[in-house]
Amino acid sequence: NHSHVVSTSMATPLVTPLFSPLALSSSRNRHSCPKTLFQSKNGKTSDSSATQKLNQTRLRKTDGQRTRFLQMGSREMSFGRKLSTQAMDGAGTENTSATISRKVFATTHLLVSLGIILAADQFLKQAFVAASIKFPSALFGMFCIFSVLMILDSVVPAAATGMMNFFEPAFLFIQRWLPLFYVPSLVVLPLSFRDIPAASGVKICYIVAIAVRKMVKTEMTEAEPMSKPSPFSTLELWSWSGIFVVSFVGALFYPTSLGTSARTCLPFLLSSTVLGYIVGSGLPSSIKKVFHPIICCALSSVLAALAFGYASGSGLDPVLGNYLTKVASDPGAGDILMGFLGSVILSFAFSMFKQRKLVKRHAAEIFTSVIVSTLFSLYSTALVGRLVGLEPSLTVSILPRCITVALALSIVSLFEGTNSSLTAAVVVVTGLIGANFVQVVLDKLRLRDPIARGIATASSAHGLGTAALSAKEPEALPFCAIAYALTGIFGSLLCSVPAVRQSLLAVVG
């Protein structure tokens, strides 16, 4: 009784368009699909062509709706992609702009803060010279900065914190390049020792002593965290290498292109010094124990001077003379580096203020030990120099050998007839010896307290010994930093007293 399909050949053209994106054309469907007869129960047959046309019309409408939907979807997806791409581009541009702005601001911040310290140092120097004051001007400036910070901290703590944050980039810059400021005296060491007899040179090398004393015992307290300077990058290495090559070749073919030979040699001598420090700082720790970065730094400068002297035919001595001229109107690379020594002293005020709570808590150990070690260093050096028969002028020149070079040069300036180049060189050599052997000596003496180890190291081997000890014993670093500054301060104060200077000269003979 039910209608039945006479021919099933119609199934293919009906099903195919539903699953295939490529629908057959209407003309192809007409020619490919035969007529199909349906028989009903009343016996009548109907032509399937009408039904075929109806189904094809429905399929075309469905395909059209699907196509329009896909087109709308694709347009929406494209619009979404455009929005996403624009957003990413906008974010990337914004991030790049923000990064550039931060770098520009950081560079400006560094230049301004460092410029203020350098300007303050120059102003104090000129003022003290005009007033004929022999006391170290930078040391006076350090006291002033520390006093201002302490007053602000007690009255307006936020102002003291803001001042510390403002000068922190300059302090980190000085801390990062601090060993470079010791190098010029080592580079010109051949010129300094030229007029010194060989026997005297041996005696100077013999005069090495370390004073250690554990005064009192106080419960330890944690130190304030200190910011660390950033490591050197590959870009810095290649940039300074490029400067060295270009300036070396330029100075070789045009010896007075910058006006004088010292100014012309300045770029490649300065870059050789910096390159030596960067390379030396990147050496493994096991090598740096024996071959300190400052040795690598000085060696690279001497080798560059030797190479230039050989290539130009002038010899080594004139090039070393151009490295450190000690003439303000015609400075060399060494003069530029040593020009930061006053700023180093001024920066001590910020490190001392940073650890003011620690200084107050352990004042008895710190001040007593520093005073004793400073007195022992000065008078023992004078006594040993006399015992070994060293010339008085040379002995006086090496008196402040356990004091950082910035203040040691100020101390010897209080005496007559001293050799400042020899002073700086002996200070550096003392620091190198202390950096290599101070921990072994302290272990032999069974001194385990961080207070005693930190103060003894800084009091005898100043900055280089401090760096060596702090790498393995960070708990002793605050005491190293404090004693590093206070030893120079007490040494300067003691030698500023005429009676103390006369007593030292009496011991020297």
Side-chain angles (χ1 to χ4, degrees):
N1 296 329
H2 296 283
S3 299
H4 60 277
V5 178
V6 178
S7 174
T8 60
S9 61
M10 183 182 171
T12 300
L14 286 175
V15 175
T16 300
L18 296 177
F19 296 94
S20 176
L22 299 176
L24 297 175
S25 62
S26 59
S27 61
R28 182 178 178 183
N29 288 338
R30 276 198 309 271
H31 293 293
S32 62
C33 296
K35 292 182 180 180
T36 306
L37 298 176
F38 289 89
Q39 186 177 1
S40 61
K41 68 177 181 177
N42 56 8
K44 294 182 179 179
T45 60
S46 59
D47 190 354
S48 64
S49 61
T51 305
Q52 178 76 10
K53 292 180 180 179
L54 180 61
N55 290 334
Q56 289 177 353
T57 302
R58 292 175 178 175
L59 289 172
R60 283 195 297 270
K61 291 181 178 179
T62 304
D63 290 342
Q65 293 174 356
R66 186 184 296 111
T67 302
R68 286 193 299 273
F69 175 77
L70 293 174
Q71 290 175 350
M72 291 176 63
S74 64
R75 286 196 297 268
E76 292 174 356
M77 292 174 65
S78 300
F79 181 70
R81 291 194 200 98
K82 289 180 180 179
L83 288 178
S84 177
T85 303
Q86 291 175 358
M88 292 177 64
D89 292 342
T93 304
E94 183 178 355
N95 291 335
T96 303
S97 301
T99 302
I100 295 175
S101 299
R102 284 195 297 268
K103 290 182 178 180
V104 172
F105 177 78
T107 303
T108 305
H109 189 182
L110 170 61
L111 294 176
V112 172
S113 58
L114 185 61
I116 292 175
I117 293 179
L118 291 172
D121 178 46
Q122 292 298 320
F123 173 78
L124 289 173
K125 285 181 180 178
Q126 295 176 3
F128 273 54
V129 170
S132 300
I133 301 175
K134 291 187 176 182
F135 187 81
S137 60
L139 190 59
F140 173 79
M142 187 199 69
F143 283 130
C144 292
I145 294 174
F146 183 74
S147 301
V148 170
L149 287 171
M150 292 298 294
I151 294 172
L152 289 177
D153 186 57
S154 61
V155 179
V156 188
T161 303
M163 185 175 176
M164 285 289 295
N165 293 335
F166 177 78
F167 285 102
E168 186 175 15
F171 173 73
L172 291 178
F173 175 86
I174 293 173
Q175 183 181 353
R176 190 185 194 211
W177 298 103
L178 182 61
L180 282 181
F181 310 138
Y182 292 85
V183 172
S185 299
L186 274 182
V187 175
V188 299
L189 194 59
L191 300 179
S192 302
F193 277 128
R194 176 151 301 167
D195 298 328
I196 299 176
S200 299
V202 174
K203 294 175 183 178
I204 291 173
C205 295
Y206 174 75
I207 303 175
V208 176
I210 298 178
V212 179
R213 181 161 180 86
K214 187 175 181 180
M215 293 297 174
V216 291
K217 184 74 174 179
T218 305
E219 184 180 354
M220 284 290 297
T221 183
E222 292 185 0
E224 293 292 330
M226 301 290 288
S227 301
K228 295 182 179 180
S230 59
F232 298 106
S233 63
T234 306
L235 178 61
E236 289 177 299
L237 176 63
W238 286 109
S239 298
W240 283 106
S241 299
I243 295 173
F244 171 75
V245 173
V246 173
S247 58
F248 185 92
V249 175
L252 188 62
F253 290 98
Y254 304 98
T256 57
S257 58
L258 298 181
T260 63
S261 57
R263 294 178 183 176
T264 306
C265 293
L266 190 154
F268 85 82
L269 289 175
L270 178 62
S271 57
S272 66
T273 306
V274 175
L275 279 174
Y277 180 56
I278 294 176
V279 173
S281 300
L283 295 176
S285 300
S286 57
I287 298 178
K288 286 193 290 187
K289 290 181 179 179
V290 181
F291 195 67
H292 196 277
I294 197 172
I295 298 179
C296 183
C297 190
L299 183 61
S300 65
S301 302
V302 174
L303 290 177
L306 184 63
F308 186 83
Y310 176 79
S312 62
S314 61
L316 178 63
D317 290 356
V319 183
L320 291 180
N322 291 329
Y323 185 86
L324 188 62
T325 64
K326 298 182 180 180
V327 178
S329 59
D330 189 23
D335 299 282
I336 299 297
L337 294 175
M338 295 189 71
F340 284 90
L341 290 177
S343 302
V344 171
I345 301 174
L346 294 180
S347 68
F348 288 163
F350 298 100
S351 60
M352 291 178 60
F353 178 76
K354 187 78 173 179
Q355 304 295 344
R356 60 193 180 280
K357 295 180 181 179
L358 201 65
V359 174
K360 182 178 180 181
R361 182 176 180 85
H362 300 281
E365 301 97 314
I366 294 172
F367 287 94
T368 305
S369 299
V370 167
I371 292 174
V372 171
S373 62
T374 303
L375 287 171
F376 182 88
S377 174
L378 291 171
Y379 282 94
S380 65
T381 302
L383 180 61
V384 174
R386 182 171 184 173
L387 292 176
V388 299
L390 186 65
E391 290 82 351
S393 60
L394 298 180
T395 302
V396 174
S397 298
I398 65 174
L399 283 179
R401 59 186 178 79
C402 293
I403 297 173
T404 183
V405 67
L407 292 177
L409 295 177
S410 299
I411 290 174
V412 296
S413 66
L414 301 174
F415 297 88
E416 299 292 338
T418 56
N419 188 334
S420 59
S421 298
L422 176 62
T423 301
V426 170
V427 168
V428 173
V429 172
T430 302
L432 290 175
I433 296 174
N436 290 328
F437 300 107
V438 67
Q439 297 180 49
V440 177
V441 174
L442 291 174
D443 291 338
K444 294 293 184 181
L445 294 174
R446 297 181 181 180
L447 292 172
R448 306 297 181 186
D449 184 33
I451 299 176
R453 294 178 70 88
I455 294 175
T457 301
S459 299
S460 58
H462 41 80
L464 296 178
T466 298
L469 184 66
S470 62
K472 292 185 177 181
E473 303 177 27
E475 67 276 4
L477 178 59
F479 302 99
C480 284
I482 295 169
Y484 176 46
L486 292 181
T487 301
I489 294 172
F490 283 122
S492 300
L493 291 175
L494 289 172
C495 292
S496 297
V497 179
V500 175
R501 290 202 303 273
Q502 294 298 325
S503 63
L504 285 171
L505 292 175
V507 175
V508 169

